[in-house]
Amino acid sequence: MSRWRALTHRWRHRRRRPLGETLSNGVHSVEDAVNIRTGSRYADQLAVGTRAVDDALATTRRAKDAFTEEMTSTPTIDQVTTDPVDPPTPIDPPTKI
């Protein structure tokens, strides 16, 4: 197998990560890189931003989980009850005028 074919084969058959996990890993990598370059001068601001991204991704994940749970669960149907109906009273036949 050629080198190019081996590389593309590995790329095509890689384990696919969920988008939220990929974004979170990228944000944390950037945070680490900036902290190293700046000597952690902006660590507090970066931590706030990273937390905001993680919260947004967690909200998305929870919404997706709730939707999936709702779609896969069997719905429960409430029994319908009605009030008893009184039989109608007899009607007098019309009289001739």
Side-chain angles (χ1 to χ4, degrees):
M1 188 182 295
S2 71
R3 186 170 190 272
W4 173 255
R5 190 172 175 95
L7 286 173
T8 57
H9 177 77
R10 216 174 322 149
W11 182 80
R12 280 192 312 255
H13 298 289
R14 71 191 184 282
R15 182 177 84 81
R16 302 209 187 256
R17 292 188 181 113
L19 181 60
E21 182 181 323
T22 304
L23 289 173
S24 181
N25 288 344
V27 168
H28 287 284
S29 297
V30 169
E31 179 186 16
D32 294 341
V34 170
N35 279 334
I36 289 170
R37 293 283 286 187
T38 62
S40 297
R41 219 176 324 166
Y42 303 105
D44 295 337
Q45 291 94 333
L46 287 169
V48 169
T50 303
R51 240 179 280 121
V53 170
D54 287 340
D55 289 346
L57 293 174
T59 302
T60 305
R61 228 175 277 124
R62 283 194 303 270
K64 180 182 175 186
D65 292 344
F67 175 76
T68 305
E69 180 182 327
E70 184 178 328
M71 295 308 290
T72 56
S73 67
T74 45
T76 57
I77 300 172
D78 296 335
Q79 185 175 359
V80 177
T81 60
T82 59
D83 295 333
V85 178
D86 295 331
T89 59
I91 302 174
D92 294 334
T95 59
K96 289 188 174 182
I97 302 183

